[in-house]
Amino acid sequence: MRKTQAGYWAFFPAEVPRRVPLSDDVVKLLDEATGAVHRLGGVGRLVPNPHLLIGPHLRLEAVLSSRIEGTKTDVGQLLLFEVGQVPSPDAAQDAAEVNNYVLAMEHGLERVRGGFPISVRLLREMHERLLQGVRGQHHRPGELRSSPVWIGGSTLDNAVFVPPPPDEMKGALSDLERFLHERDLPLLIQLAIAHYQFEVIHPFLDGNGRIGRLLIPLMLVLRDALPQPLLYLSAYFEQYRGEYHDHLLITSQNGDLMPWIAFFLRGVRRQARDSEERTVRLVDLQHQLRNELLDEGRPNSVIRLAEQLFSAPVVTAARVEAMIGVTRPTAHAAIDALVERGDLVEVTGRERRRVYEAPRIYEAVYGSVDVEDH
């Protein structure tokens, strides 16, 4: 911590370390976490329709990452929001914030796959989509902060943590951008350090935690560790929220990265195993349902709808019409066929603008998986 020219105390980050001696315990964690990521990548590469997996994993991440910041939407509310059904203005606002997280990730993924590097410019583009039209939009979506911020407390003077002032922040961001392009460290160690460094730089007025967490799956896809963004850490960070924030703060105070890196690697190991089991469960159900429908001689429209439900397990007739490219009567017929089988259930009780949920698929996609604990 140093005193700024403006007279307040702030954190001035050192350059990102390019060499990090690892303890034996951390090396063991790194091996286990790397192996878990490789297994997840192998499962992801065997999935026949991998694009269908992105939505379920990303929605769960969007909900949990936003929950860390205080947003209360659950997956069910987000899915209802996507089909135009929300119970109240407050719920709509929360769901819109979470939906923006999905849009920010999709934009980043599209840019990275198009050859655009992970950079400050890309993070600004994602930040713009994250805050567009929701609470926090007055916090300059897509723009780096030009004023001091603080975390905890009510003023700069009694804050728990004060990130670097704007001028110092820009130099630290440039150094971080260079670090993201380097390949000298093991990828997971690099990601742990990069996430910490981004959070303590705190380059935006709002949304830093969410953008910092999105950086992790983007890097894993960019570096071909995963074929799709299947690994997210927000479930782990949410469960151990106190430890998550404490590690970031304590690391900034004493400069010792090892406890933070160990915490991060435990999260990667746990969530990679969770995502692997979730993906296998989802694919098994997908195969089972498709084979049942083929054996019953169901029309192609019914089979295509069943497949799309894994990406969107809450639908309306209008959404089905758009998803599988059929007429409204054909959409209704496909829905009725799956309702008859019990694969879809109408949840509104209305005669018009009905909403249907696929309970078995919803549980396979979003149900909990028991994995090794912290």
Side-chain angles (χ1 to χ4, degrees), residues 69-94:
E69 309 303 326
T71 302
K72 296 183 171 54
T73 294
D74 59 26
V75 172
Q77 289 172 319
L78 176 60
L79 291 168
L80 288 172
F81 176 83
E82 291 177 358
V83 296
Q85 304 288 320
V86 283
S88 70
D90 284 346
Q93 184 65 234
D94 279 354

Side-chain angles (χ1 to χ4, degrees), residues 124-372:
R124 288 177 61 185
E125 290 178 6
M126 294 168 64
H127 184 261
E128 182 176 12
R129 283 152 181 81
L130 181 72
L131 294 189
Q132 197 65 49
V134 297
R135 289 175 298 222
Q137 59 183 315
H138 60 287
H139 287 158
R140 303 172 64 193
E143 296 185 38
L144 300 177
R145 60 181 172 86
S146 58
S147 59
V149 292
W150 63 89
I151 299 170
S154 55
T155 67
L156 283 167
D157 294 328
N158 64 17
V160 174
F161 179 77
V162 180
D167 289 344
E168 186 76 18
M169 173 200 79
K170 291 174 184 175
L173 266 182
S174 295
D175 176 57
L176 176 59
E177 184 176 82
R178 289 190 296 272
F179 176 69
L180 290 173
H181 298 159
E182 297 166 6
R183 300 196 175 211
D184 297 329
L185 290 172
L187 176 58
L188 295 181
I189 301 297
Q190 184 180 17
L191 283 178
I193 296 172
H195 181 75
Y196 159 77
Q197 195 77 354
F198 181 84
E199 294 306 318
V200 295
I201 292 171
H202 221 73
F204 302 111
L205 291 176
D206 190 24
N208 293 282
R210 286 167 287 175
I211 294 296
R213 289 187 285 277
L214 280 175
L215 180 61
I216 298 165
L218 270 186
M219 281 286 288
L220 289 168
V221 171
L222 175 68
R223 298 280 287 273
D224 294 324
L226 293 176
Q228 307 285 347
L230 301 177
L231 176 65
Y232 300 95
L233 296 190
S234 288
Y236 178 76
F237 291 157
E238 159 68 10
Q239 183 171 355
Y240 300 102
R241 188 188 307 193
E243 284 187 58
Y244 172 52
H245 290 136
D246 287 348
H247 273 297
L248 294 175
L249 178 62
I250 292 169
T251 304
S252 72
Q253 292 171 341
N254 64 21
D256 182 6
L257 282 163
M258 282 308 103
W260 159 251
I261 290 174
F263 175 79
F264 183 92
L265 292 175
R266 283 194 293 270
V268 171
R269 180 184 63 185
R270 169 179 164 163
Q271 295 311 123
R273 291 170 177 173
D274 175 274
S275 188
E276 179 188 359
E277 292 201 25
R278 195 179 299 274
T279 299
V280 168
R281 185 174 59 192
L282 188 155
V283 171
D284 285 347
L285 180 56
Q286 193 177 36
H287 286 163
Q288 177 189 342
L289 182 54
R290 179 179 176 81
N291 289 337
E292 288 174 2
L293 294 173
L294 287 171
D295 289 344
E296 294 170 11
R298 299 285 183 172
N300 186 49
S301 58
V302 176
I303 296 170
R304 285 162 55 206
L305 172 56
E307 184 176 71
Q308 290 296 324
L309 288 175
F310 286 85
S311 179
V314 174
V315 295
T316 61
R319 191 174 195 191
V320 170
E321 184 181 356
M323 279 195 319
I324 63 175
V326 296
T327 63
R328 185 62 63 88
T330 302
H332 277 295
I335 289 170
D336 289 344
L338 293 181
V339 168
E340 177 192 348
R341 282 178 43 87
D343 297 314
L344 278 177
V345 176
E346 207 286 318
V347 295
T348 66
R350 297 194 300 247
E351 288 298 319
R352 298 170 59 85
R353 300 181 64 195
R354 290 182 159 193
V355 177
Y356 300 86
E357 181 181 297
R360 205 160 48 128
I361 293 174
Y362 186 96
E363 177 60 28
V365 173
Y366 298 110
S368 61
V369 176
D370 292 327
V371 293
E372 178 185 329

